[in-house]
Amino acid sequence: MTFWKALTLASVAGALFLSATHARAAYPEKPITMIVAFGTGGGTDLLVRTLVPFLERHLGNGARIEVVNKPGAGGEIGFAAIADAAPDGYTIGAINSPNVNAIPIERQARYSLDRLDPLYNLVDDPGAFAVHQDSPFRSLADVAAFAKANPDSVTVGTTGIGSDDHLAMLMFQRQAGVTFTHVPFQGAAANEAALANKKIMLSGVNMGEAMQYKKKDRIRILGVMTEQRQPQAPDIPTFTEQGFSTLMSSLRGFAAPRGLPPEVRARLVDALAGTADDPAFQARMKELYQPLRLLPPDQYAAELTRSTKDLRDLWATAPWLR
């Protein structure tokens, strides 16, 4: 090899190295859009708006993140916006399961799960049933007894068809041998407002959300959809101890469109991991009744694959839209 050829190759290699180093150091060079597939005031919106300042700090380089709510169709509009975005690291978003898994199973969705790149899961918020404090229902048995005597008369609010709230409602119906009237909303805040104003009789809601709403509204939580009582709410009985095996929760994590540059993806994952491990962030999540379940990318993807199979099996035996 001649001296000049060797010099040229070394120059090219050096330029590539400097370019890659610049990409790692420079990102993000402009604001990042963070999509929330539900309205303001719900559990996902609360998580995202709490997370943003921590994530900006852990990303460094003067990172700025702008939250954009795109509610509708049980989360489909927002999830599709994430999947359709350019895979450059400047559009990411929160995804919720089972919503994100269930929608492509139940209908021709505007996105598919394989077009989303799971980056990190942070929260696993169990489901619950809540009523207005003026409600005569004091337990799940009260709800079941009234619904048996008055079929279709109990109105139940959820965050949309195929949401964890909706699936949990259907599970409880089958276990109790009753039928409800489903009232879907575009997000948890609208669902809660309807309950607070006595527009619905029962709300399917996540525990963390319900605990927040209790601070300002006259609502009562009848039960949480877990086998064991939750440390954040030890006085609330479980569905299991009340004789119902309804188990449901909502994973709240973050995803990007598939195909991110490896160095940008690594930067986002590291920043999310740093946020998840930040004691101040963890303390804030505890204050907000957001139960943490930290899943890095591979574990998060595996959990989404497992839960998707479970939902496909459920759809095959008990489709929730038929």
Side-chain angles (χ1 to χ4, degrees):
M1 181 183 298
T2 67
F3 169 78
W4 293 111
K5 185 175 182 180
L7 181 61
T8 299
L9 290 174
S11 298
V12 170
L16 290 173
F17 174 78
L18 289 174
S19 176
T21 302
H22 172 75
R24 285 194 296 272
Y27 175 81
E29 296 178 291
K30 61 181 181 179
I32 297 168
T33 296
M34 172 75 80
I35 293 174
V36 179
F38 300 94
T40 58
T44 304
D45 184 70
L46 183 63
L47 166 64
V48 168
R49 293 180 189 277
T50 303
L51 170 117
V52 161
F54 291 93
L55 187 59
E56 288 175 336
R57 187 165 70 249
H58 284 277
L59 276 170
N61 203 44
R64 288 187 297 130
I65 299 173
E66 298 175 351
V67 179
V68 177
N69 294 83
K70 289 183 175 291
E76 181 179 358
I77 292 173
F79 302 150
I82 301 170
D84 291 341
D88 56 8
Y90 289 101
T91 300
I92 59 176
I95 60 172
N96 308 61
S97 61
N99 303 54
V100 73
N101 325 60
I103 290 169
I105 294 172
E106 71 191 28
R107 61 183 183 263
Q108 185 65 43
R110 283 169 275 188
Y111 71 94
S112 57
L113 202 57
D114 61 4
R115 292 177 56 214
L116 293 168
D117 183 5
L119 300 175
Y120 221 94
N121 188 76
L122 293 181
V123 168
D124 190 354
D125 195 356
F129 276 175
V131 295
H132 195 279
Q133 282 188 358
D134 293 341
S135 170
F137 302 147
R138 311 292 300 188
S139 68
L140 299 178
D142 290 345
V143 175
F146 183 88
K148 282 182 179 179
N150 304 274
D152 300 316
S153 64
V154 177
T155 50
V156 181
T158 76
T159 51
I161 294 171
S163 67
D164 56 318
D165 312 318
H166 180 221
L167 296 179
M169 183 200 82
L170 295 177
M171 289 180 185
F172 183 81
Q173 282 187 145
R174 286 194 292 271
Q175 292 166 11
V178 300
T179 54
F180 297 141
T181 294
H182 181 214
V183 185
F185 294 95
Q186 287 195 346
N191 183 11
E192 181 268 339
L195 183 66
N197 291 302
K198 301 183 182 179
K199 303 296 185 183
I200 54 175
M201 298 171 67
L202 183 70
S203 173
V205 64
N206 291 108
M207 184 198 73
E209 295 167 338
M211 294 295 291
Q212 285 294 310
Y213 300 148
K214 275 186 65 178
K215 293 179 179 179
K216 62 184 181 69
D217 291 321
R218 298 181 64 247
I219 68 170
R220 180 167 61 249
I221 304 173
L222 297 182
V224 60
M225 299 174 191
T226 56
E227 292 181 331
Q228 304 293 329
R229 293 199 182 197
Q230 295 298 288
Q232 299 93 332
D235 296 334
I236 299 175
T238 69
F239 274 53
T240 301
E241 67 187 87
Q242 295 183 70
F244 298 95
S245 58
T246 307
L247 300 175
M248 182 59 68
S249 68
S250 176
L251 289 185
R252 298 189 187 120
F254 294 86
R258 186 75 63 176
L260 290 180
E263 66 277 3
V264 170
R265 185 179 190 271
R267 188 76 170 267
L268 283 167
V269 170
D270 287 348
L272 284 164
T275 298
D277 290 336
D278 191 315
F281 175 75
Q282 293 187 357
R284 186 66 179 134
M285 289 291 97
K286 187 175 181 180
E287 291 172 3
L288 295 174
Y289 303 99
Q290 296 265 336
L292 292 177
R293 183 182 177 193
L294 307 182
L295 298 175
D298 290 347
Q299 293 179 35
Y300 189 18
E303 176 62 23
L304 289 173
T305 298
R306 183 201 62 75
S307 59
T308 299
K309 180 183 182 304
D310 290 346
L311 286 169
R312 288 191 184 281
D313 292 345
L314 176 64
W315 179 262
T317 58
W320 50 87
L321 288 185
R322 298 177 189 171

